Amino acid sequence: MKLPVTTRPFHAFLVTWVGLVVTWFGSGLTTFALGTFMYQRSGSVTQYGLFQFFYFLPMMLLSPVAGALIDRWDRRRVLILAELGAGVSAALIWLLLHTSDKGLWQLELWHLYVLIALGSCFGTFQLPACYAATSLLVPKEQLGRANGMIELAFGAGQILAPLTVGQVLASIGLQGIVLMDVVSFALSITLLLFIRYPPTPPLTEEAQADQKSLWRETVSGWHYIRARPGLLQLMVFIGVLNLVTGMVIVLITPLVLSFTDVPTLSRVMSFAGVGMVVGAVVMTAWGGPKRRVHGVLGFYLLSAFALFAAALPPTALIVAGGAFVFIMCSPLILSCMQAIWQSKVPPALQGRVFSVRRMLGLAATPIAALISGPLCDHLFEPLLAPGGALEHSVGRVLGVGKGRGIAFVFVVLGVTIIVHTLVSYLSPRIRNVEDELPDALADHSAPPDSVPTPGTAAVG
């Protein structure tokens, strides 16, 4: 029987968005539960950092090729393929855990790294395809709100996933958590089967020539960025942002577990997720400042002060408050940033350009995952341990003992953000990027059903 499908642009965007809410909730379950499992089993920040490393490395390596393929293929089908592959990876993780529990397999942490990397390979296609599809479904003047809705979908998972894990882990175990993830992928794929996307606008003659070769098509994304210094400097900005954010993501779990337990960690992470939802709702209702680059730099600067909360006496309330503000800034920064790129890059080239940008931006994230653990385990934690070299200097402010070295790293990262923001603002290429580059999207008023409104986003 032929499935009923919708071709109305905003309806297609809304269904895609709901699918993202479902799948990111499921992925959040597995990520939080597996990460906690690995850290508790190994007791090593370095081992936990490897979990993040193998998640982000495939994204960095495959992003350019993924972008070229996204521009060639139907973007809805790309999303279905991404969800299917990631769902199979989650199913294999469940099978690995199940056979180990039955005594048929001796589980080692590196076994999980392999499957995490496999799921990440398919996940590489998801976000660039979603953003490229958004440019087809949503008018230019509403891109800020649409991007806010996408960040809201991720934030919802950030809230619900840790809370759900904290509530049900004891009853259904890690296997049950992963199985819920598998079901979420199945639901998301089902939703995508009921929609269609508008056709991608035709390529320019130059882009058509590049499309004859996958390699040339992939490299053309880099050439497009390199020829536009403002976009190139924004991409470097993203790289530094991802380095800082990557280290925060790796270190927040061991920081909290240094003075409390897993249920409290779940509540802290969920409260941080509330911050992401608040930021996404604000962006959805507001649409961002007229000068979007000011939104990028302003909220990035605000996030620096949130990291200084780690310098205060370690309590769940203080860390949760800092995490709330830091994560709240993320959708505001990323939505403003993404709207700049969406409005300056032609839709027919967005898959490859966004993926090249993502590859170079994500290059910092595996580095952050690799260096965070050794820095804390072998440098900062010993410096602020009892009898450490900084016990009577920095230790008088931050305290001494387990987790205080990680707190010192957070302070250093906050200072890094402040310096990076000031340097970026002084660059005329970044400060004037919206004026120097012509818009690639036409100004138009969309029909009523294609314009996401604040009320629709909040309810959606």
Side-chain angles (χ1 to χ4, degrees):
M1 182 177 67
K2 187 176 180 180
L3 293 173
V5 298
T6 178
T7 58
R8 300 175 72 180
F10 178 59
H11 288 181
F13 171 77
L14 184 60
V15 172
T16 303
W17 179 79
V18 172
L20 290 176
V21 174
V22 173
T23 192
W24 278 339
F25 167 69
S27 298
L29 291 175
T30 298
T31 301
F32 182 79
L34 280 179
T36 303
F37 167 76
M38 289 181 176
Y39 181 70
Q40 289 186 313
R41 178 163 173 167
S42 66
S44 168
V45 180
T46 300
Q47 288 290 331
Y48 181 74
L50 286 173
F51 168 71
Q52 300 289 336
F53 173 78
F54 284 107
Y55 178 77
F56 286 109
L57 182 65
M59 291 186 182
M60 181 196 73
L61 297 177
L62 294 179
S63 281
V65 176
L69 293 175
I70 288 167
D71 284 338
R72 287 187 172 197
W73 298 342
D74 178 83
R75 286 158 184 176
R76 182 187 69 100
R77 293 179 180 177
V78 172
L79 285 170
I80 292 174
L81 175 65
E83 300 286 78
L84 181 62
V88 169
S89 173
L92 291 174
I93 290 175
W94 175 86
L95 183 62
L96 191 68
L97 294 169
H98 182 71
T99 54
S100 174
D101 187 56
K102 296 296 183 181
L104 304 175
W105 181 275
Q106 181 61 42
L107 179 65
E108 301 291 344
L109 291 184
W110 69 266
H111 298 150
L112 296 174
Y113 296 150
V114 173
L115 294 179
I116 289 165
L118 176 63
S120 178
C121 290
F122 288 96
T124 302
F125 290 82
Q126 186 189 57
L127 203 55
C130 178
Y131 279 129
T134 300
S135 299
L136 300 177
L137 302 172
V138 177
K140 182 183 71 174
E141 59 270 19
Q142 299 295 336
L143 285 174
R145 287 192 170 99
N147 293 330
M149 290 177 68
I150 294 172
E151 295 297 327
L152 178 61
F154 184 76
Q158 292 292 102
I159 295 174
L160 298 175
L163 280 178
T164 303
V165 171
Q167 293 294 323
V168 305
L169 183 60
S171 57
I172 67 175
L174 184 57
Q175 293 180 46
I177 294 292
V178 177
L179 192 58
M180 291 176 66
D181 189 15
V182 175
V183 172
S184 75
F185 283 116
L187 291 174
S188 180
I189 291 171
T190 302
L191 288 173
L192 288 170
L193 293 174
F194 285 87
I195 59 173
R196 293 289 185 272
Y197 291 166
T200 304
L203 297 171
T204 63
E205 293 183 4
E206 181 183 359
Q208 289 175 355
D210 288 334
Q211 199 172 31
K212 296 178 182 178
S213 164
L214 182 61
W215 170 250
R216 287 181 62 185
E217 191 176 348
T218 300
V219 173
S220 69
W222 162 246
H223 289 163
Y224 185 92
I225 296 171
R226 189 179 64 178
R228 293 157 180 81
L231 294 182
L232 183 62
Q233 290 192 26
L234 275 180
M235 190 170 63
V236 174
F237 179 94
I238 293 171
V240 178
L241 184 153
N242 284 347
L243 179 66
V244 173
T245 304
M247 294 186 71
V248 172
I249 290 172
V250 171
L251 297 178
I252 184 67
T253 292
L255 174 66
V256 175
L257 290 180
S258 69
F259 63 84
T260 189
D261 53 17
V262 173
T264 303
L265 173 64
S266 298
R267 291 190 289 271
V268 169
M269 299 300 286
S270 294
F271 191 64
V274 173
M276 176 163 286
V277 169
V278 169
V281 169
V282 168
M283 191 65 191
T284 302
W286 174 32
K290 185 175 181 181
R291 297 283 296 179
R292 285 162 173 159
V293 71
H294 290 168
V296 172
L297 297 176
F299 289 111
Y300 187 47
L301 184 63
L302 176 61
S303 70
F305 296 97
L307 295 181
F308 294 146
L312 300 174
T315 67
L317 182 61
I318 289 175
V319 175
F324 176 93
V325 176
F326 184 84
I327 298 298
M328 180 191 70
C329 292
S330 179
L332 296 162
I333 296 168
L334 296 178
S335 295
C336 290
M337 178 75 76
Q338 187 62 32
I340 294 173
W341 284 82
Q342 286 169 320
S343 62
K344 302 302 179 182
V345 180
L349 298 175
Q350 286 185 3
R352 69 195 77 177
V353 171
F354 290 176
S355 291
V356 169
R357 182 202 70 184
R358 194 169 186 233
M359 180 199 73
L360 297 177
L362 281 177
T365 309
I367 294 173
L370 279 181
I371 67 175
S372 297
L375 276 176
C376 290
D377 287 338
H378 305 298
L379 179 60
F380 283 91
E381 283 288 286
L383 286 175
L384 288 173
L390 299 182
E391 178 184 11
H392 300 295
S393 54
V394 177
R396 291 183 178 274
V397 179
L398 300 183
V400 174
K402 187 177 181 181
R404 292 295 83 199
I406 299 176
F408 190 23
V409 174
F410 275 52
V411 173
V412 172
L413 292 177
V415 174
T416 300
I417 290 176
I418 293 173
V419 174
H420 184 215
T421 302
L422 295 177
V423 171
S424 298
Y425 184 76
L426 292 175
S427 167
R429 293 296 191 183
I430 290 181
R431 193 170 64 250
N432 301 319
V433 64
E434 295 171 271
D435 299 323
E436 292 183 351
L437 296 179
D439 282 351
L441 300 177
D443 291 312
H444 65 281
S445 297
D449 81 293
S450 65
V451 180
T453 65
T456 302
V459 174

